[in-house]
Amino acid sequence: MSDVVLDRVAKHYGATVAVESMSLRIGSGELVALLGPSGCGKTTTLRMVGGFVPLSSGLITVGGRDVSALPPSRRNMGFVFQNYALFPHMTVAQNVAFGLEMRKLGRAEIETRVTGALERVRLGAFRDRYPRQLSGGQQQRVALARALVVEPDVLLLDEPLSNLDASLRQEMKIEIRQLQQALGLTTIFVTHDQDEAMSTADRMVLMHRGRVEQAGPPAEVYSRPRSAFAAGFLGVANLVPGRMTRMDTGSDTGRGDGFVTRAGPVLRLRGHRSIQGDCVLALRGEEVTLRTGQPAGDENALSGRVALATFHGVAIEYHVETEAGLRLVARVPAPGVGGPEVMAHGAEVLACWAPDAGVLVAET
Amino acid sequence: MPSSPPPAARLRGSGPVLPAVLFVLAGMIAPLALMLRTSFDRFDPETLIVSALTLDNYLRFFETPFFREVLGRTIAISALSTAICLILGLPVAYYLARFPTGAAKSRLLMLILVPLLIGNAVRTSAWMLILNDHGVLAAGLARLGISGPLGLMYSASGVMIALVSVLLPFMIITLNSVFEGIETTLEEAAGSLGASHLTTMRRVVLPLTLPGVLAGCVLCFTLSMNAYATPVLIGGPKFHMMAPTVYQQITEAMNWPFGSALAFVLMGMTLGLTVGLTLAVQRRYRRWMA
Amino acid sequence: MIRFTYAAIATIVIGFIVLPLVLIVWMSFFSNPILSFPPEGYTLDWYRRAWSMSDFRGGFFTSLQISLCATVLALVLGIPASMALVRGSFPGRDTITTLLMAPMLVPAIVGGSALFVFYLEVELLSGVQVAGRLAGLIIAHGLIALPWVVKLVTTALTGMNQSVEEAAASLGAPARVVFLRITVPMIWPGVVAGGLFAFVNSFIDLEKSLFLVGPGRTTLQIALINYLEWNFDPTIGAVATAQITFVTLLLLVTSRYVKLHRAF
């Protein structure tokens, strides 16, 4: 079985650090998504695993075997490139056969495996076409078949869906996940799209400035971001900055500057981890309710006016400008799906959220 | 049926090309046409040209062993120096194309481009001082204990050496732009599928550079078929290639009809061989080319 | 290891191209009476001598004159033609582009001899002498220069994002202002590079001029070749060094406007 271990792997280009001492273990058969904004080091990391970028320091092992110094041709990894990198002068079948020829397999064996691989990606009828005669999605599947047919120890995918249009991306996402699970392949998937990462990965590794910001199962990372960056990148709409001067775990309240709610500079909290000093309350738009009367129960509340409303089909997003000059986003079900009536621009509202809503993270 | 626009409208905006077109027609096409016509005329030592319609000049060319030899030598030297340029040029062009972009790369490219535009007269004279029997090469070899005349001046080998050096920049620049157009991910893909560097070059990169290889070869072959300075200066008066022979016939022998025929044989051979090569190569890559 | 192999080959091959030029520059300072090795001493006399020789000094100025005229001619003919070829919509544009580029493809020795025979026949018919005169050389060099102008200006025009012009027009600029304030500045690098390439290629031409020079009207390249037939002293080195310096400077200027290797 082939688990991949990155042990304090780093990459420097002169004085610039692309990847800073990264340690990560990808279990056998696991799909790990490396997620982050461009320039975060995710592609460099993948290319180091693939053997295209030499390591500045650290170690990469596959199934316990050190591959750090091996050229790509001797790592037995399947790499799917962002632009697919299909050989334009070879037919689909020749592209897929290339890796098998390099492994000096017999003609009959190559033929059987190429046919099998093309069937698996439903391209059997296209075997004699040239890459330029295929659509983007078909090229993508050829690239996948070419990488898989050599029975690699590890599958590496570099932004494989970024060149496809939205509907095809959805389809390919599912196809890649199913293939990967069926073959039980250890897989690293690089993407800048959190939806892609969440819907395909067993584990998500969020990277920022060459470091791992947060790693874990998608559901956990999504609901419990550990930093303001993670919260922002994962699409948390509200990052309310403040300063925690006292956190009262007995009564579950926090006292501080910045969190000026209707109850004064007090934040009602329940079930949050203890934190001191500069911090951010990361609140999803869905967690904020807009009310016209009184806050319900022990909700936190800020009063303000509707500054902007945008329609998103099933939901409406209201941007509320609070009296303290803060802008809060509330995502409310649209009237068509049982939500409240649309609020007018300038309407006075209370933006409310429950004490257990959101995540408190330290300011970075 | 859609009515076609009136001729005046169809030619809208074509006015500004006319002076340039006329200039090329008068300065190149007309002279070439006249020269073709002249090549069918007869030569007369008194009146120079006698109007005729005869193939005598061409027949004389192909019937005279001397001229046949000159053509054969020109083709052989051109083919050989083109092949050497290709072999030497490929690794250099690839190296330059994969060199990280920056000031160092610009300087390297300048080292190729400046010689290309220094002119054949200067570049050939530079080779004269290396190849002659009292030159740099002889002095260098003498220091190593190898003495005696080199015999490179006034020899085919000397002409070849200088020709290859003069033509290499053309080959390198042409090939370089093709290599630049080949995505490095293709090489990485071949590598990750298990191909060694040499296999990647042979199976993936070189087939894709074929159009560029062809363009570079056509350019070098044409330039070398028509080379003048190198055979005259390095080859000397007894070393005959086509271009100097055309010059002699037209300006010294004043035999314009025969000189014209020579010029057309030269152009025809150059064109014929390069077109033949082009067709042969195109057959191989047209299937996957757009 | 692979990188090292490539670097080693590149060094040798580039040396093979560049070293002769380095040597001729070096040897132009030798005091040896003929170009030979090793140096007996160093002197600047050969430069003085080259300048004092009317063949070289006159050749330089003749070349300068011809190349400047040819460049101006090529720019005057080539810029409007390029504009029309890229922007116009008339049939046969590809054919016309090929025709305008053709002088670059026809071997200089053939083009030159054809022009020579043409001039002489014109002279026989009309009594107007063109061969051996400046006008004849300027026409020949105009043909060398024109394709470079057309090539670089059309490239600049095609590479230009035309929506920029549309943006200017939609902001209220009349056509003339769009042309002068938007189009001209954007294709200017192509025009300058086209002119410089035209000039250099005309200046270094040997084969096409060969047939057309007359007594007392020799270009620098022909003067060099003629001198080399009977002499082999460091005067050649001095002239070559001057030309190498001149061309290098022009190319350094050109490289500020375009990527030089893209011009080929």
Side-chain angles (χ1 to χ4, degrees), chain A residues 47 73 83 89 101 103, chain B residues 183 188 191 193 203 287-288:
Chain A
R47 290 171 60 79
S73 54
N83 63 0
H89 58 303
E101 287 170 30
R103 283 162 179 74
Chain B
E183 301 222 37
E188 292 174 350
L193 289 168
R203 294 279 314 267
R287 281 201 298 159
W288 53 266

Side-chain angles (χ1 to χ4, degrees), chain A residues 10-21 39 209-210:
Chain A
K11 182 65 196 176
H12 310 267
Y13 293 101
T16 38
V17 177
V19 176
E20 187 184 319
S21 188
R209 292 188 181 143

Side-chain angles (χ1 to χ4, degrees), chain B residues 162-226:
Chain B
L163 211 48
V164 166
S165 166
V166 169
L167 297 178
L168 257 171
F170 291 93
M171 182 64 96
I172 293 174
I173 291 299
T174 314
L175 291 177
N176 175 65
S177 65
V178 196
F179 280 126
E180 298 263 6
I182 295 177
E183 301 222 37
T184 48
T185 51
L186 289 182
E187 291 164 49
E188 292 174 350
S192 83
L193 289 168
S196 67
H197 176 74
L198 280 179
T199 311
T200 304
M201 292 306 276
R202 190 171 55 80
R203 294 279 314 267
V204 176
V205 180
L206 286 180
L208 293 173
T209 53
L210 220 51
V213 167
L214 179 72
C217 287
V218 166
L219 183 61
C220 281
F221 185 75
T222 307
L223 288 171
S224 124
M225 283 290 281
N226 293 279

Side-chain angles (χ1 to χ4, degrees), chain A residues 76-131:
Chain A
N76 199 33
M77 293 180 180
F79 203 107
V80 175
F81 294 84
Q82 186 173 7
N83 63 0
Y84 316 139
L86 297 179
F87 307 130
H89 58 303
M90 298 184 194
T91 62
V92 167
Q94 287 168 338
N95 263 281
V96 177
F98 187 86
L100 300 173
E101 287 170 30
M102 293 306 121
R103 283 162 179 74
K104 307 247 178 337
L105 265 56
R107 270 175 147 234
E109 167 89 14
I110 291 178
E111 181 52 39
T112 326
R113 282 171 67 169
V114 167
T115 309
L118 286 176
E119 290 303 328
R120 201 184 297 138
V121 295
R122 294 175 284 114
L123 280 175
F126 295 86
R127 52 177 302 137
D128 294 323
R129 299 268 187 103
Y130 284 92

